Amino acid sequence: MKIADSTVLVTGANRGIGLAFTKAFLARGARKVYAAARDPSSITSPGVTPLKLDVTSPAEVEAAARMASDVSIVVNNAGIAAIGGFLAEDAEALLRRHFETNVFGVLRVSRAFAPALARNGGGALLNVASVGSWLSFPMLATYATSKAAVWSLSNGLRNELRGQGTQVMSLHMGFVDTDLTKDFDAQKSSPQEIVDYALDALEAGAEEALADELTRQVQGGLSAEHPIYLMQR
């Protein structure tokens, strides 16, 4: 997938990784970047086109698909990350919240924009997942479950959209230095590092982008007695 002269939609584009994506696409020569957020007035980056989009609203997703019918790349970045394990009193409600945004939001946007991608030559879907797709701790258990679902959803979408020539890539990484992780005491990558890695992988035709060493270790140890997994026992 070539970024130069492409038309891009980024969800959750007002901060963090989403904001870094909008800047990086412009720097790499994208013709147009739709920066989508629940509150479009929060989009202040020069050179982008603000777009109102709450991915939990089917009506807003459909409206956005009509307004941005020229897209060739869609980045499903909008998401939430709340602390909570499966034995917490609010576990079921928290899991539903995560799935509504992180999973059903990705599905809604992907379904709504798939016809536009087909009309515009196939294009690409880039779904922002996490190392949590394969690794879970009680503090972020419900979040991790949603990201595991994003990984599976991406694999399924790849199969269904292959016939129309759409590249589907999932992006996985550990902690990133954004508002979502400000209260976590952990080693963090910068949003720019993650986005640069992701866009290099997208242009190379990758199906998965493992953007940091932790993620590569975890994914590489899925079927082995890897220290990362032994820690969870």
Side-chain angles (χ1 to χ4, degrees):
M1 180 68 211
K2 296 300 181 184
I3 292 171
D5 294 323
S6 63
T7 298
V8 183
L9 170 79
V10 180
T11 68
N14 56 327
R15 61 181 181 174
I17 295 174
L19 177 60
F21 265 120
T22 63
K23 293 179 177 179
F25 275 116
L26 290 173
R28 294 188 183 217
R31 180 189 305 120
K32 186 175 186 179
V33 175
Y34 292 100
R38 291 180 179 181
D39 177 8
S41 68
S42 65
I43 302 294
T44 58
S45 296
V48 303
T49 302
L51 184 66
K52 180 174 174 55
L53 177 57
D54 178 350
V55 300
T56 68
S57 167
E60 287 196 13
V61 171
E62 292 298 330
R66 291 191 296 270
M67 294 178 64
S69 60
D70 53 343
V71 295
S72 52
I73 300 174
V74 173
V75 179
N76 280 307
N77 168 73
I80 63 170
I83 294 174
F86 296 130
L87 299 183
E89 185 175 344
D90 62 344
E92 184 173 336
L94 194 57
L95 186 60
R96 289 180 186 278
R97 279 184 57 207
H98 278 107
F99 263 69
E100 186 61 32
T101 299
N102 296 357
V103 183
F104 291 115
V106 172
L107 178 61
R108 289 186 190 101
V109 171
S110 300
R111 284 170 49 87
F113 280 91
L117 294 176
R119 289 193 302 269
N120 297 324
L125 281 174
L126 194 168
N127 296 333
V128 177
S130 167
V131 68
S133 299
W134 310 300
L135 182 65
S136 181
F137 291 101
M139 182 174 63
L140 291 170
T142 54
Y143 166 81
T145 301
S146 73
K147 290 302 184 178
V150 171
W151 177 52
S152 182
L153 175 59
S154 299
N155 293 338
L157 286 169
R158 186 178 304 116
N159 291 334
E160 294 196 35
L161 295 176
R162 184 174 287 115
Q164 69 176 42
T166 298
Q167 177 185 352
V168 179
M169 188 184 85
S170 57
L171 169 62
H172 305 264
M173 63 282 179
F175 288 113
V176 184
D177 190 11
T178 67
D179 289 345
L180 288 177
T181 65
K182 63 183 178 182
D183 295 326
F184 295 106
D185 182 15
Q187 184 176 348
K188 302 173 186 178
S189 302
S190 72
Q192 194 60 54
E193 288 177 303
I194 299 302
V195 166
D196 285 343
Y197 188 96
L199 296 191
D200 287 345
L202 186 71
E203 290 205 293
E207 295 183 349
E208 288 181 357
L210 312 180
D212 56 31
E213 185 57 31
L214 171 64
T215 303
R216 289 187 282 272
Q217 289 181 6
V218 169
Q219 201 270 355
L222 286 176
S223 60
E225 289 292 298
H226 195 281
I228 290 291
Y229 293 94
L230 295 177
M231 287 169 57
Q232 298 184 88
R233 294 181 179 176

